[in-house]
Amino acid sequence: MGAVSWLERLSRQHEVIARERIETRIVRIGRAYDNDIVLDDPHVAAHHLHVTRDVDGVWYAEDLGSLNGLRAAGSRLRVERLALRDGAIVQVGQTLLRMRDASDAVAAELPLMHPRPYWLYGIVAVVAACGLALLSQWLGETSEPKLIRYLSPLLALIAMIVLWVTGWAVFSRIFTGLARFGLHLAIAGTALLVVTLWDLAVTYGAFAFSATVLTGTVRAVAWAAFTLACYLHLRAFGRSGRPIKAGVALALGLLGFVTQSLNVAERRSEQGSAPVLERLAPPSLRLAPLEPREAFLDRAAGLRATLDEAREKQPVGGDDEASDPTE
Amino acid sequence: MFVLSPRARLLGIALALPCVPVGVGAQLPMPPSEASAEPAPPLTDAAERVYAAARPSLLQIRTLVEEAGRQSSIGSGFLVDPAGFAITNYHVVSQYVLEPATYRLEYVQPDGSTGALAVQAIDVANDLAVVRIEGTNLPHLAFDASATDGSLARGERIYAMGNPLDIGFTIVEGNWNGLVDRSYNDRVHFTGAINPGMSGGPAVTAAGTVVGVNVAKRLDGDLVSFLVPASKALALLERARTEPALDPTQARTEIDHQLLAWQDGFQHALLEQGLRPKRFGPYEAPETDAPWFNCWARTNAEQTPKPRARMNGSTCNSQSGLFVAEDIGSGEAELTHYHLRSDGLNAFQLAAFMSQYYASTTMAGSWSRKRHTPPECHEAFVAPADAERAPPLRAVWCARAYRDFDGLYDIALTTVTQDRDDEALVSRLALQGVSYDNALAFARRFIEGIAWAR
């Protein structure tokens, strides 16, 4: 026949580690040096198997009486003989082998992609987020503006972003061989920008619309952004296992959100405070309509029923007595 | 004013009813230091005589934890009737009155005899209780006629007795200084050393007749102590003689009634005194002329570095807090106004500055999960009744209910004017232990009073 075949040695992730050109009809494989292919795997016998090509051109792996035998990759079932067609993988000891025929189809050529300027976009997002944070700080400034009050949070923010992105890039490099710092920077920068923007919008939106409930959304938005960012970071590692990645990101985000919400609720209950608007804005930002004074007092009077109902309920949470009277 | 803690831990001196403004020590001119070093007046024969005569009528009143049989708090008392009626402070027996299943009462006399006590009647507003011990033809003290009609001379030497800090029965000489001006509840200013554990003990004249009941002292002064006038004790004694004894299971209802009646009187007296407008920059805001309010000015003018917004304000609070339990008070009222004006801050920054004053919507009195419900708040932008006269307001009303007492609430109303970018008036009304209707009525008057100055 003279047809060329290739014997591929694969990693556990099924990436090709080595590829041997095969031009014979039989290939002997084992740990001994008289084999055609020598495997340095302690779980492989000296003469473990041979791979032969039958008249139809199909390759078969056959056990030569080894201790550990042959298995189809991913199966626990030991077999004497295994057909190696259509990219089937055989496990020999701890080594994975695959035969490729000259006639095997290969995937179409991918067009050459210009690397997207993710890093540029990432830097823009981070700079914008830092600018918003500084603006927010300046709008809340009530005493002499001091440079240090702007530099410290800025430095903290930048350090946090750099650490976070570097962490992902290092992981990415380890697992995929590509750091993709720019992509990770873009993901983290966008998440940060969304949260900062939302925080600023809510600070003044809650006042403008007289909607204190909005201030509670900052936490939710922050954790949603965190979840999405984690998912995108993980996805950048590769296309496999997306549901698992989404699940992990969602679980982390939910855990963070629930923990923080419970913390806030617990602190409220300990201090006996209710959520009210804490940050005022210039009167000209007001968009909510004015409530007539009597309507305001009526609404205030209406709280009485809620309070009387709460009176009947047992207090929740830990005992807050100052001290044991018998002390 | 501070109630003497019946709980005589040697260091933890008193139950502070927080009616003294924070920082009062700095604002009250302190007496020169030699004043406290002044030698105590020499003990006279009179004190010996008075103590010898009163001794058989004195009681130490202990509150014991039923299960442990150990004391959890101590106070004093005195017999006023041959049938065993005795007077003490409500706060001495309050633990037992509120939790009769957990505590019991016991008395100890100077001769060491002890026995059980029953509570006959209480008067929370005047911090008095009538208790009864078993016995007939008991020695007792008589009330002084001139004290009950209010004509005892200022400066008269009187003697306070009791068992301070559980170290033994004691007599203290001091002076009668008449009724305290700035107190809604009648209190006698007694210049003498009253200490925790003496609460409920008698203050008598040289003739040995009762003119008052030891009740409290100021922690920020020296020898500034207070007595409940004997007339109040006599009135409660009359009630105890004629009415059936207090049913321990109904004590909370009784306290509830007394507190509601007291705060009703207080709120009406307050509104009767009227709220007068006081000017703050271009605004005016209501303040009270009621004499039982103490007003303090507040400013940030002397802060360094120079603040970029000026704050000038005033806080008026009533010196009328009532002790109900160690973690429940009632009767405090506070009216606060801050005029805030930008001195270099832009509109956003001034709003942030105002937030510091507006956001602290704390209520009068401390929060206790056991005693109060969680607060409920309503906030809105409020239109003025007359747009020519007053600015729109941002306002927040918060209220919490007392778990133990029906019909009593703590409320706080905070407003900030919404008409200018460079100045504003932040106002706060805090009422403790009021009925909801009284609080609303007061709040309406309070909001009505916030206007542009004419």
Side-chain angles (χ1 to χ4, degrees), chain A residues 138-146 150 204 206-210 212 266 268-304 306-308 310-321 323-327, chain B residues 7 9 65 68 71-72 95 103 305-306 308-309 327 345-349 351-356 358-359 361 367-370 373-385 392-403 405-409 413 416-421 436-437 440 443-444 447-448:
Chain A
W138 180 73
L139 289 175
E141 185 70 74
T142 60
S143 48
E144 285 304 319
K146 285 208 178 107
Y150 293 85
Y204 295 104
F207 174 87
F209 298 102
S210 189
T212 305
E266 178 61 20
R268 278 241 156 81
S269 135
E270 259 165 27
Q271 296 169 347
S273 63
V276 292
L277 188 72
E278 282 170 11
R279 182 67 180 272
L280 297 171
S284 46
L285 284 194
R286 175 179 65 80
L287 294 172
L290 292 172
E291 195 168 281
R293 186 203 296 157
E294 288 312 308
F296 176 79
L297 290 171
D298 284 348
R299 296 277 297 273
L303 297 180
R304 182 182 183 170
T306 320
L307 289 170
D308 288 343
R311 198 207 296 274
E312 304 307 323
K313 289 191 202 125
Q314 278 300 306
V316 290
D319 189 38
D320 59 355
E321 264 199 296
S323 61
D324 187 339
T326 53
E327 260 173 16
Chain B
R7 201 166 291 182
R9 292 184 201 118
V65 177
Q71 67 194 38
S72 84
Q95 274 182 310
Y103 299 99
K306 195 164 95 50
R308 293 173 68 212
D327 48 3
L345 295 182
N346 65 32
F348 284 89
Q349 292 168 337
F353 183 76
M354 289 180 326
S355 307
Q356 297 166 10
Y358 172 81
T361 51
W367 149 259
S368 156
R369 184 153 32 191
K370 187 172 116 197
T373 65
E376 292 288 333
C377 299
H378 172 56
E379 48 183 347
F381 292 103
V382 179
L393 300 173
R394 170 78 197 173
V396 51
W397 164 284
C398 288
R400 64 188 182 207
Y402 285 44
R403 288 189 188 278
F405 304 109
D406 280 349
L408 286 177
Y409 305 83
L413 169 70
V416 54
T417 56
Q418 293 287 302
D419 56 331
R420 288 165 208 241
D421 274 346
Y436 216 85
D437 291 336
L440 281 169
R444 176 173 283 109
I447 294 189
E448 277 168 6

Side-chain angles (χ1 to χ4, degrees), chain A residues 49-60:
Chain A
L49 73 156
H50 61 218
V51 182
T52 54
R53 190 169 210 182
D54 74 356
V55 287
D56 298 329
V58 179
W59 288 97
Y60 284 91

